[in-house]
Amino acid sequence: MDNARPSARSLSSEARLSPLRGSGERVLVFFLCLLFASVFAVHAQNGIEIRRNQVGSSPSQEKVVVVEGINPQGKIKVTTPTGKTLKPAAIRAAVSPWSGKQRYVVDLGQLTATGRYRISIGHQQCDLLVTERPYQVIAKASLRLFYLIRSGVAIELGEEYNRPVGHPDTHVLVHPSAATEQRPAGTVISSPYGWYDAGDYNKYVVNSAFSIGLILAAYEQQRDYFTALSTDIPESGNQTSDLLDEMMFNLRWLLTMQDPDDGGVYHKLTTPNFEGFIMPTACRQPRCVVAKSVTASLDFAAVMADAARHLAPYQHDYPEFCYQATAAAELAYQWAKAHPDAFYHQEQLRDPAISTGAYGDRNARDEFFWAASALYRLTRKPYYLDEAKQFLPSRFSTPSWANVAALGTFEWLAEGKTSELYAPQLSQLLAYCENAVQDVDSSCFQSPFGNKPRDFGWGCLAENCCCQAFVLLLADKLQGTTAYRRYALQNVDYLLGRNATGYCYVTGFGDKSPLHPHHRISAADTVEKPFPGMLVGGPNPGQQDRIAGNLTYPSNYPDESYLDATESYASNEIAINWNASLVALLCWLDALK
Ligand code: 9MR
């Protein structure tokens, strides 16, 4: 992707080729410099930023922009698609708690007619699109991304992103940490397909299962929408929905990650070290499965149980799967019960040592809760209900790969009012929602997300911003209300540009979106643009990549600590769990129409 950056090298060589000789040229350059200086001065003096959702809003959605660098009172103008000029409905000031920047939250009023509105303050202007289904295209792209990152198959429907088969994973070694009598170290197993996890090429059970689990939770709430959604994938012609087909592509791989002899599930399939920024076909490191873990086994059990339930009507396309997945899920749960302390300790692995993503987690209560809940729903065995009750969460928190309790909560909420866990789980969820929207009216960007330092961190745009919005939509649906939708949409506005950096954080959308995500294929292929529809991790004041990558972040403020550079894995990587939350949120919104 280097060629997408303004190249300092080419500028300096041009300068060398055109030395200034005559005095006429000098005069010309002098005037040119003056011109540039004056243009630059207007810009610097201006310093005005209008931050807004760069993708679009629906007619009923509130229309808010945030202005920085000037008090827009009396200066901001809205021109409607038919050329009328309007004044905003209200303006309030807000100061960033971190940078002290003065901002103005401008309520543009009810712009319900569709079309392109022009917002201007002096010479500074931007457009706001109002359209009936603003998230239709981006929602589909967020799901289609999973096709583009399939491993072990040629990508043939990706247009400019087509590529030959990489990582067939038919020759995968059993690492000493995973060795058993039946499968000693060095045993070769086949473990093909599945999605690449993120910017890297490894396949991790915890994160894979979580991603599918979250998407299936959304599927269960918006089944008709997802059933009709076509993403133009090789399976589009079969009788199963494209969403379930895409999940199956990863589920088939997941099945191979279970040790058939004891039911335990390998934590991940990985190379010893991360590969360089090369295409899949150029990768040469050996691939291996490592230690079985309690968290991987439980996440596997949960997602297999869910998948067995949802795929039951589609056995024609996937014969045997439901039966296989049910047996695999129960076996994995038994293994976890017998090995409750089998946490993944990457630092203990030798021959070879492993340095790739750990997905380490030293608490499996939430995984037990999700798995037991999912298995109860599939099998109706009272044992799993008792198990779920033993691992009830004490409060609701948004779902993440490390804390999957919310996925258990979603199971009971989908199960319905007749289940005894429905009411207590709903009240936890509602308490969370009430709290989440508390600060919106004094916030800098008129959104529930982004007002506390802990909102920001590795993967925050997914785990905190998208998942929070998803939960708000769910709360509405369960209660038959629409009150929380407004807040969910505010997080979408934040994600798509109304924020402290002015980035629309989904690749390929908006007028300022990441061009250099930490994503190996996007960086190594010959296409200048990154894959479309990828959500980046986002502002992360932890800056864990700063020293190793020798990076200079533009800011240390929590909400501005973001760097659109390939090297920035802590703020600019992409990942399946993050895109899963984008799918869950945007598809839901598109389903509401
Ligand atoms: O999403 C993960 C984040 O919560 C952790 O803080 C981080 C460091 O352990 O790892 C993230 O997951 C990465 C994984 O380990 C390897 N593939 C890329 C993932 C996204 O950065």
Side-chain angles (χ1 to χ4, degrees), residues 11-12 21 25 67 86 128 133 153 274 345 359 365 382 384 386 396 398 402 429 446 457 504 538 566-567 583:
L11 283 179
S12 57
R21 295 212 178 91
E25 278 161 297
V67 174
L86 306 174
L128 195 76
R133 286 180 67 180
V153 285
F274 286 120
H345 288 282
Y359 287 111
R365 288 189 61 85
Y384 292 118
D386 289 345
F396 182 83
T398 49
L429 182 99
Q446 193 71 14
C504 169
T566 310
E567 299 80 6
V583 168

Side-chain angles (χ1 to χ4, degrees), residues 373-568:
S373 305
L375 275 160
Y376 175 70
R377 293 190 72 201
L378 174 70
T379 65
R380 299 280 153 199
K381 291 183 183 166
Y383 166 73
Y384 292 118
L385 177 58
D386 289 345
E387 286 284 295
K389 285 187 194 163
Q390 262 189 54
F391 294 106
L392 284 174
S394 55
R395 63 183 182 90
F396 182 83
S397 36
T398 49
S400 70
W401 66 264
N403 185 354
V404 298
L407 297 186
T409 301
F410 298 158
E411 301 281 0
W412 296 107
L413 297 178
E415 180 68 9
K417 292 186 177 142
T418 50
S419 94
E420 63 180 294
L421 294 185
Y422 180 88
Q425 289 299 296
L426 179 62
S427 80
Q428 282 190 3
L429 182 99
L430 295 180
Y432 166 84
C433 292
E434 260 323 285
N435 191 42
V437 302
Q438 284 306 308
D439 296 333
V440 169
D441 288 334
S442 58
S443 65
C444 276
F445 294 99
Q446 193 71 14
S447 57
F449 171 79
N451 305 313
K452 300 188 179 70
R454 67 164 188 276
D455 284 354
F456 299 95
W458 203 317
C460 65
L461 294 177
E463 292 178 9
N464 301 338
C465 186
C466 285
C467 285
Q468 180 177 65
F470 172 77
V471 166
L472 291 166
L473 293 174
L474 177 62
D476 259 351
K477 179 162 185 245
L478 295 169
Q479 296 191 104
T481 58
T482 53
Y484 284 126
R485 186 184 305 180
R486 171 178 166 228
Y487 299 107
L489 284 162
Q490 291 169 347
N491 275 10
V492 172
D493 287 337
Y494 189 102
L495 209 63
L496 303 180
R498 197 173 75 209
N499 58 52
T501 63
Y503 272 95
C504 169
Y505 288 112
V506 180
T507 55
F509 289 86
D511 39 44
K512 182 184 173 188
S513 64
L515 293 174
H516 310 287
H518 181 90
H519 178 233
R520 280 166 177 70
I521 304 177
S522 288
D525 66 9
T526 53
V527 187
E528 192 170 314
K529 296 170 293 173
F531 285 8
M534 301 191 292
L535 173 66
V536 295
N540 175 7
Q543 300 181 2
Q544 292 87 340
D545 46 11
R546 186 169 48 87
I547 296 169
N550 197 17
L551 301 177
T552 309
Y553 274 65
S555 166
N556 292 331
Y557 300 126
D559 56 349
E560 296 181 46
S561 188
Y562 168 73
L563 182 60
D564 180 22
T566 310
E567 299 80 6
S568 183

Side-chain angles (χ1 to χ4, degrees), residues 7-20:
S7 159
R9 279 188 301 271
S10 60
L11 283 179
S12 57
S13 58
E14 259 168 47
R16 273 200 306 276
L17 285 174
S18 40
L20 294 175

